[in-house]
């Protein structure tokens, strides 16, 4: 296995895990906005992390089917730079949001996809 393919596989395996803290933070923010009690805030964050664990079953195949080939193609074309990675990572969600109403869930999905693209790029560039 080549070094670049190994680095891409590691980045594709680790980058969807960013969904857990991002969704936890989003539910924390939503809990503060609708603050009623500390226990409801903690249960909201727990619910966000559990939604994140469930969404990993969606994000892992998406990363392996869409993200990994795109990153390999960008590296082959010498375009594996952060702005290009972020634009191509958000493109499917952006196209989906053109046909639906833009609401908080869509915003969270945009945030998740951007954070996964950023995390994948950072992991790839930090591995030796």
């Amino acid at each position: 296995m080549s070094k670049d393919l190994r680095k891409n596989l590691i980045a594709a395996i680790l980058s969807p895990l960013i969904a857990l803290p991002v969704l936890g933070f989003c539910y924390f923010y939503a809990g503060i906005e609708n603050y009623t009690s500390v226990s409801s805030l903690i249960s909201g964050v727990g619910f966000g992390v559990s939604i994140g664990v469930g969404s990993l079953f969606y994000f892992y195949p998406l990363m392996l089917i869409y993200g990994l080939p795109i990153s390999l193609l960008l590296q082959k074309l010498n375009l594996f730079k952060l702005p290009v990675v972020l634009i191509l990572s958000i493109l499917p969600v952006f196209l989906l949001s053109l046909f639906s109403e833009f609401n908080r869930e869509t915003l969270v999905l945009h945030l998740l996809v951007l954070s996964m693209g950023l995390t994948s790029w950072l992991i790839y560039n930090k591995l030796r």
Side-chain angles (χ1 to χ4, degrees):
M1 181 182 306
S2 73
K3 181 180 177 183
D4 286 338
L5 182 60
R6 182 184 62 83
K7 286 170 57 173
N8 276 306
L9 282 174
I10 291 172
I13 290 171
L14 292 179
S15 64
L17 294 175
I18 196 67
L20 301 175
V22 168
L23 283 174
F25 174 75
C26 289
Y27 276 89
F28 179 74
Y29 177 75
I32 288 177
E33 190 176 80
N34 302 323
Y35 182 73
T36 55
S37 68
V38 175
S39 63
S40 68
L41 182 65
I42 292 172
S43 69
V45 172
F47 180 72
V49 171
S50 65
I51 292 292
V53 170
S55 68
L56 289 178
F57 292 107
Y58 171 75
F59 286 124
Y60 270 116
L62 184 66
M63 188 65 183
L64 293 175
I65 292 170
Y66 178 75
L68 187 60
I70 291 292
S71 66
L72 290 171
L73 179 67
L74 288 176
Q75 289 163 14
K76 189 168 192 89
L77 297 174
N78 202 18
L79 291 172
F80 195 67
K81 296 170 179 46
L82 184 59
V84 178
V85 169
L86 292 180
I87 289 171
L88 288 177
S89 67
I90 202 164
L91 189 64
V93 177
F94 180 71
L95 292 175
L96 176 71
S97 68
L98 289 177
F99 301 108
S100 65
E101 181 181 342
F102 192 81
N103 50 22
R104 285 187 180 179
E105 290 81 15
T106 310
L107 182 66
V108 169
L109 190 57
H110 279 79
L111 183 63
L112 279 169
V113 171
L114 281 175
S115 63
M116 279 184 15
L118 175 66
T119 305
S120 176
W121 182 81
L122 285 172
I123 289 172
Y124 179 84
N125 285 324
K126 294 298 176 185
L127 289 175
R128 294 183 190 258

